[in-house]
Amino acid sequence: MRRIAVLLFVCSALPLWAQVNFGEGNDRDPNAAIGLTLAMVYARFGIPESVYAVRGAEEWQDDVVFVYNDWDLYIYRDRVWQLGLKSAYGINLGDPAGVVSLALGEGVQTYNGYLLYALPSRSWPLQLRINLDAAGKVAAIFIYRSDF
């Protein structure tokens, strides 16, 4: 009887698969959306506000994008592989590039027109990409699987 009680406690305390808790405000973990299936997206977020296609340089790089209030989910085949965000990790659209370095600390790689930062991985490598406009301000924020 005691083994059953311990087993029930462990099973209720630990999920059998990764669960996404997006919470509200700063409690959200946008990285957890990477890898969701279409069914999971619909179950967690409902029907998107809008949908559009993004053409890649090659046909296999085409994506369908689901637009929600705070982010865009980029779908390849049947899974989310990239997020477009309005804010992440203390960085907001319109912030100067210096804010990115202050928010992320060491490890930010600077390129012509964008910054890259390796995020803690889960089941695959993740990158944070910050696109900068001509004035050096944050124009776009993306989190994506860098193994694609």
Side-chain angles (χ1 to χ4, degrees):
M1 186 61 134
R2 184 176 181 167
R3 286 185 184 174
I4 293 173
V6 170
L7 182 60
L8 288 174
F9 172 77
V10 170
C11 288
S12 66
L14 300 173
L16 297 176
W17 57 85
Q19 295 182 350
V20 180
N21 177 13
F22 285 91
E24 291 296 324
N26 294 330
D27 293 335
R28 286 195 299 195
D29 180 10
N31 298 346
I34 304 290
L36 292 179
T37 64
L38 293 176
M40 295 165 110
V41 168
Y42 285 133
R44 288 185 172 92
F45 309 120
I47 297 171
E49 295 171 20
S50 66
V51 177
Y52 66 94
V54 174
R55 298 302 310 221
E58 298 182 33
E59 188 176 316
W60 68 270
Q61 295 173 326
D62 294 349
D63 293 320
V64 172
V65 182
F66 287 8
V67 177
Y68 290 93
N69 186 40
D70 293 330
W71 53 60
D72 296 345
L73 303 178
Y74 290 71
I75 313 290
Y76 175 71
R77 294 195 182 201
D78 65 344
R79 292 198 180 259
V80 176
W81 79 275
Q82 176 174 280
L83 304 171
L85 303 151
K86 294 178 183 177
S87 66
Y89 298 97
I91 303 159
N92 298 297
L93 295 178
D95 284 346
V99 170
V100 176
S101 297
L102 288 173
L104 299 176
E106 293 183 27
V108 177
Q109 299 174 336
T110 304
Y111 296 91
N112 188 23
Y114 66 96
L115 306 169
L116 283 182
Y117 184 76
L119 295 171
S121 179
R122 292 177 186 218
S123 299
W124 39 72
L126 295 174
Q127 288 275 356
L128 174 65
R129 179 180 170 128
I130 309 292
N131 290 353
L132 304 173
D133 63 15
K137 296 191 178 204
V138 174
I141 303 170
F142 296 100
I143 296 174
Y144 62 94
R145 282 184 60 170
S146 57
D147 60 344
F148 261 56

